[in-house]
Each structure stands twice: as structure tokens, then as C-alpha cells.
Amino acid sequence: MVRSLLVRGMIAGLVAGLLSFVFARVFGEPAVDGAIAFEDRLTAAAGGEGGVELVGRSVQSTIGLAVALLLYGAAIGGILALVYAAVYGRVGRLGPRTTAGLVALVGFLAVVLVPFVKYPANPPASSSHDTIGLRTGLYVLLVALSIALAVGAVLAARRLSVRLGWWDAVLIATGAYIVLVGLLGFLLPAIDETPADFPGTVLYDFRVASLGGQIVLWATLGIVFGALAEGSGARRSRSAERSARTTTGPAV
């Protein structure tokens, strides 16, 4: 069953990656072009020459972007399927679609939204190359801690639900998660390296497009995988019923 869910998760991830690519191509690439134009102007003003591109911009914004998002979507879809297999039937009486949607929602909040609030995505020429290691390390650290706190919140909600019921348990666990990630955001260092003359509209459009692409990907994952998981469960139920009738034989 887990292997079947894994395959369905990766299929849902490919669909999500494709839709995310369309979104990024339409809404994200113009902001990237604007950032590159700003970088070129800085280079020209300094009397320098632009570096040689190993991969052309036309390839980066089409085939390269599509392959990256398809692989990312398939990987996230497989992980979502494994998490779904672990929690299905253990977090209340929820159906496949609802469980898949909740897993995708929690994943988006923990993996994308919380880190994005503290360390939002930046277009080219808006950050220093010297701090890329620091910025990457802090971002990965926040993602890992956010996931750990989200898992802890789910486990706490499940335990509290025995005494308080699911509604109150979820509210308490969610409140605790928000407080703890807020404390993490306060303790972790802020990084603000965007040049004062960097175009504000380019920065805004890029960040909105980055978050929007993630919303499209995770929402599609939850919807498509939920439908596939529900269809798989229905087929298993029909197969089990036929097997039972074959074993017991016709009623007399």
C-alpha cells in the first residue's frame, strides 16, 4: 500500500510541478529579468563586463525551470505520500481527501510559509554573494526547526484530544506552534542586504511570485493526491469485498 501511495504522490507532484512552472513562467520570470537588468546596469556603471553564462537565459527560464520544478514536485509529492501513510487513520476520523489536504496544508506552513516570513526569497542582485552560505544555513535551520515543531504540535494535539476533544486540542497545539516559531524568528538573526536603489516593484513581484508558486504547488498536491488516494482506497475496498465473497462462497 505504501508503494502504491508513493507512486501516486509522485504523480501528483509532477502535476503540481507542471502547474507551478506555468505560474512561475508567467508571473516570476519578468521579475527575474528586471533583477538581471539592474545587475547589468550596475556592472556597466562600474566599467566591468558581464560574466559568461554557462547556461543561456532562454534555457534557464524554460527547460531548466521546468525540470527543476518537476523534480521538486515529484520529491515533495513522494514525501507527502509517506507522511500521509503514517498519519492516515491516526488523527481523527478523516477521509483520504481531508487527510491529504491537511498534510499538504501543514507541510506548506512548516516548510514554506514560516521560513518565508523570516527569510523571504530574493531575486538576483538583491543580496551579497559573500553571505550566501550564512543565509542558506539559517534558512535550512529554520525549515528543520519548523518541521520539528509542527510534528510536535500534531503529536500534542493527538494526545490532548483524548481529554479535550479534537477542536480544543488543535487550537492549543496550533497556538503553541505559533508562539514557538515566533520566538525562533525573533532569536534568529535578520539579514537585510537589498541595495537602497534596488527596484522595489521587482523585489515585491519576485517575492509574491515565489510564494504564489509554492501555494500552487502545495494546493495542487493536496487536491490531486487526495483524489488519487481516495480512488486507491475505494479500489482496495472493492477488491477486499470480492475476495471475501469468493472465500465464503454464496449465501445459502
Side-chain angles (χ1 to χ4, degrees):
M1 182 181 68
V2 174
R3 183 175 62 181
S4 175
L5 289 174
L6 180 61
V7 172
R8 284 168 170 77
M10 294 180 72
I11 292 174
L14 290 174
V15 176
L18 180 61
L19 293 181
S20 181
F21 163 71
V22 174
F23 183 93
R25 187 77 178 89
V26 174
F27 298 100
E29 286 304 310
V32 175
D33 291 335
I36 293 175
F38 173 80
E39 187 175 34
D40 291 341
R41 287 197 299 270
L42 289 181
T43 302
E49 297 181 358
V52 178
E53 291 184 338
L54 298 178
V55 180
R57 178 74 185 122
S58 60
V59 176
Q60 295 177 18
S61 62
T62 53
I63 298 175
L65 180 63
V67 171
L69 287 176
L70 287 173
L71 291 176
Y72 175 75
I76 295 297
I79 295 173
L80 183 142
L82 295 177
V83 175
Y84 170 90
V87 305
Y88 182 63
R90 297 181 175 89
V91 288
R93 298 178 180 179
L94 302 177
R97 289 178 183 265
T98 305
T99 302
L102 285 177
V103 170
L105 176 61
V106 172
F108 169 76
L109 293 175
V111 177
V112 177
L113 186 60
V114 167
F116 185 90
V117 171
K118 179 64 178 180
Y119 301 118
N122 287 322
S126 63
S127 299
S128 172
H129 295 293
D130 297 333
T131 62
I132 186 170
L134 174 63
R135 288 185 281 115
T136 302
L138 289 172
Y139 182 84
V140 172
L141 175 62
L142 184 53
V143 170
L145 292 175
S146 177
I147 292 173
L149 290 175
V151 172
V154 172
L155 295 176
R158 183 185 177 193
R159 180 167 296 184
L160 290 173
S161 67
V162 178
R163 290 181 297 171
L164 304 177
W166 273 108
W167 179 250
D168 291 337
V170 169
L171 288 179
I172 293 174
T174 302
Y177 172 79
I178 293 174
V179 170
L180 291 175
V181 296
L183 180 61
L184 277 176
F186 175 77
L187 294 176
L188 290 174
I191 297 179
D192 185 10
E193 303 174 335
T194 304
D197 56 345
F198 190 88
T201 55
V202 172
L203 183 64
Y204 176 82
D205 291 344
F206 181 85
R207 289 179 173 175
V208 169
S210 298
L211 185 60
Q214 292 285 351
I215 292 174
V216 170
L217 187 139
W218 286 88
T220 304
L221 267 177
I223 294 170
V224 175
F225 177 72
L228 294 175
E230 186 174 61
S232 176
R235 283 192 292 272
R236 284 197 301 271
S237 298
R238 290 194 296 268
S239 177
E241 290 175 0
R242 287 194 298 268
S243 178
R245 287 197 298 268
T246 302
T247 303
T248 58
V252 178

